[in-house]
Amino acid sequence: MSEGAFRDAMARLAAGVVLVTAFDEEDGPRGAPAGMTATAFLSVSLDPPLVLVSVRTGSRMDELLERQPLWAASLLSGEQRTTAGRFAMKGRLSDRLLFQEVAHTLGEISGAPLLDRALTTVECRTEQRVAAGDHTLVVAHVLRVGLPSPDGSPLTYFRGRYRALG
């Protein structure tokens, strides 16, 4: 099986879109927010409350989540397609500039950005990291949830495109 065939097959699986964020204390004197669009994010357990996100091994976010155990995720609404695209682009503007363009607050526990119009936000603490091929699976305990915009429709990723449900 080729990598392309596998990619094409998995593109047929619709996935929710989240913005994973953390506060990078090593980025300058006051630190800086960092963010990454992800579609491999899921609930693992209710007791204790656990989630999992998959990040490319060696990526900036992988390295950040290795040294920073507190992070957050904002489950994006259909109206946040542009935000998802901006944080997914390779060679993008600095995260500091991107966060100036999107309404957010800083998490009470994690200090990570939480998007104001997200369907749900979660603040997390990493519990386990598991190597899996060219990705790292980050399992985290959910410490706090928020519902900034609970009535919207979710943003999904299907066949290589962002799509709003509803």
Side-chain angles (χ1 to χ4, degrees):
M1 174 183 60
S2 72
E3 182 179 310
F6 181 66
R7 182 181 295 117
D8 290 345
M10 292 298 101
R12 288 163 172 75
L13 176 64
V17 182
V18 302
L19 182 66
V20 175
T21 59
F23 192 78
D24 189 353
E25 296 171 351
E26 291 187 4
D27 189 11
R30 294 191 342 242
M36 173 196 84
T37 301
T39 56
F41 180 88
L42 59 115
S43 169
V44 174
S45 169
L46 289 174
D47 186 19
L50 299 174
V51 294
L52 177 148
V53 66
S54 177
V55 297
R56 181 174 289 282
T57 301
S59 67
R60 180 172 176 229
M61 187 58 73
D62 180 43
E63 293 171 359
L64 175 55
L65 294 182
E66 187 169 21
R67 67 178 185 269
Q68 170 57 276
L70 297 174
W71 54 277
S74 297
L75 287 66
L76 301 185
S77 71
E79 64 185 41
Q80 294 174 306
R81 181 184 314 212
T82 301
T83 299
R86 286 183 179 156
F87 280 92
M89 291 186 306
K90 294 183 182 194
R92 63 185 187 248
L93 296 170
S94 78
D95 286 353
R96 190 184 303 267
L97 292 176
L98 288 171
F99 279 110
Q100 289 177 3
E101 299 173 1
V102 62
H104 68 280
T105 57
L106 298 181
E108 292 177 22
I109 297 171
S110 66
L114 304 169
L115 298 192
D116 289 355
R117 294 185 348 254
L119 296 178
T120 301
T121 59
V122 293
E123 291 186 82
C124 306
R125 180 185 64 243
T126 298
E127 295 291 321
Q128 186 176 8
R129 294 171 50 87
V130 179
D134 59 0
H135 278 66
T136 302
L137 306 179
V138 181
V139 178
H141 189 104
V142 177
L143 305 171
R144 184 172 182 274
V145 297
L147 299 170
S149 182
D151 296 327
S153 63
L155 182 64
T156 62
Y157 192 72
F158 180 69
R159 291 194 170 185
R161 293 181 47 207
Y162 295 112
R163 302 167 192 257
L165 287 183

Short mmCIF file of all heavy atoms in Angstrom, two decimals, residues 11 16-17 31 41 43 50 56 63 67 69 112 124 153:
data_model
loop_
_atom_site.label_atom_id
_atom_site.label_comp_id
_atom_site.label_asym_id
_atom_site.label_seq_id
_atom_site.Cartn_x
_atom_site.Cartn_y
_atom_site.Cartn_z
N ALA A 11 -8.82 10.33 4.05
CA ALA A 11 -9.47 11.60 3.74
C ALA A 11 -10.99 11.45 3.71
O ALA A 11 -11.73 12.43 3.79
CB ALA A 11 -8.97 12.15 2.41
N GLY A 16 -13.55 16.28 13.31
CA GLY A 16 -13.71 17.60 13.90
C GLY A 16 -12.38 18.34 13.87
O GLY A 16 -11.31 17.72 13.76
N VAL A 17 -12.44 19.65 13.96
CA VAL A 17 -11.23 20.48 13.89
C VAL A 17 -11.07 21.23 15.20
O VAL A 17 -12.01 21.85 15.70
CB VAL A 17 -11.32 21.47 12.72
CG1 VAL A 17 -10.04 22.30 12.62
CG2 VAL A 17 -11.59 20.74 11.41
N GLY A 31 7.38 35.18 27.14
CA GLY A 31 6.76 34.02 26.54
C GLY A 31 5.83 34.41 25.41
O GLY A 31 5.64 35.59 25.11
N PHE A 41 -8.03 14.42 17.27
CA PHE A 41 -8.31 14.79 18.66
C PHE A 41 -9.55 14.03 19.08
O PHE A 41 -10.54 13.97 18.34
CB PHE A 41 -8.58 16.30 18.75
CG PHE A 41 -8.87 16.78 20.14
CD1 PHE A 41 -7.84 17.17 20.98
CD2 PHE A 41 -10.17 16.87 20.60
CE1 PHE A 41 -8.09 17.62 22.26
CE2 PHE A 41 -10.44 17.33 21.88
CZ PHE A 41 -9.40 17.71 22.72
N SER A 43 -11.96 12.20 22.64
CA SER A 43 -12.21 11.88 24.03
C SER A 43 -11.79 10.44 24.26
O SER A 43 -12.11 9.56 23.46
CB SER A 43 -13.70 12.05 24.32
OG SER A 43 -14.02 11.52 25.57
N LEU A 50 -10.21 12.17 30.09
CA LEU A 50 -8.99 12.19 29.29
C LEU A 50 -9.30 12.48 27.84
O LEU A 50 -10.34 12.04 27.31
CB LEU A 50 -8.27 10.83 29.36
CG LEU A 50 -7.80 10.34 30.72
CD1 LEU A 50 -7.26 8.91 30.60
CD2 LEU A 50 -6.75 11.26 31.30
N ARG A 56 2.65 15.78 15.00
CA ARG A 56 3.79 15.27 14.24
C ARG A 56 5.03 15.29 15.11
O ARG A 56 5.38 16.32 15.69
CB ARG A 56 4.02 16.07 12.97
CG ARG A 56 5.19 15.52 12.14
CD ARG A 56 5.35 16.21 10.81
NE ARG A 56 4.29 15.86 9.89
CZ ARG A 56 4.22 14.73 9.19
NH1 ARG A 56 5.17 13.83 9.32
NH2 ARG A 56 3.25 14.51 8.36
N GLU A 63 7.46 19.49 20.40
CA GLU A 63 8.53 19.90 21.30
C GLU A 63 7.99 20.75 22.45
O GLU A 63 8.42 20.60 23.59
CB GLU A 63 9.62 20.64 20.53
CG GLU A 63 10.36 19.72 19.56
CD GLU A 63 11.29 20.45 18.62
OE1 GLU A 63 11.37 21.72 18.67
OE2 GLU A 63 11.95 19.77 17.80
N ARG A 67 7.78 19.83 26.84
CA ARG A 67 8.33 20.59 27.99
C ARG A 67 7.25 21.37 28.74
O ARG A 67 7.49 21.81 29.87
CB ARG A 67 9.45 21.52 27.53
CG ARG A 67 9.05 22.65 26.65
CD ARG A 67 10.26 23.53 26.30
NE ARG A 67 9.86 24.69 25.55
CZ ARG A 67 9.82 24.75 24.22
NH1 ARG A 67 10.20 23.70 23.50
NH2 ARG A 67 9.42 25.84 23.60
N PRO A 69 3.56 20.89 30.20
CA PRO A 69 2.49 19.92 30.42
C PRO A 69 1.08 20.50 30.36
O PRO A 69 0.11 19.77 30.17
CB PRO A 69 2.79 19.36 31.81
CG PRO A 69 3.54 20.45 32.49
CD PRO A 69 4.34 21.14 31.41
N ALA A 112 -3.01 29.06 28.36
CA ALA A 112 -3.04 28.92 26.90
C ALA A 112 -4.25 29.66 26.33
O ALA A 112 -5.29 29.77 26.98
CB ALA A 112 -3.11 27.44 26.52
N CYS A 124 -5.97 21.27 29.73
CA CYS A 124 -5.46 19.92 29.96
C CYS A 124 -4.08 19.91 30.59
O CYS A 124 -3.34 20.89 30.49
CB CYS A 124 -5.35 19.19 28.62
SG CYS A 124 -6.87 19.17 27.66
N SER A 153 -22.48 25.23 14.96
CA SER A 153 -22.24 23.94 14.32
C SER A 153 -20.74 23.71 14.21
O SER A 153 -19.97 24.66 14.13
CB SER A 153 -22.89 23.91 12.92
OG SER A 153 -22.30 24.89 12.10
#
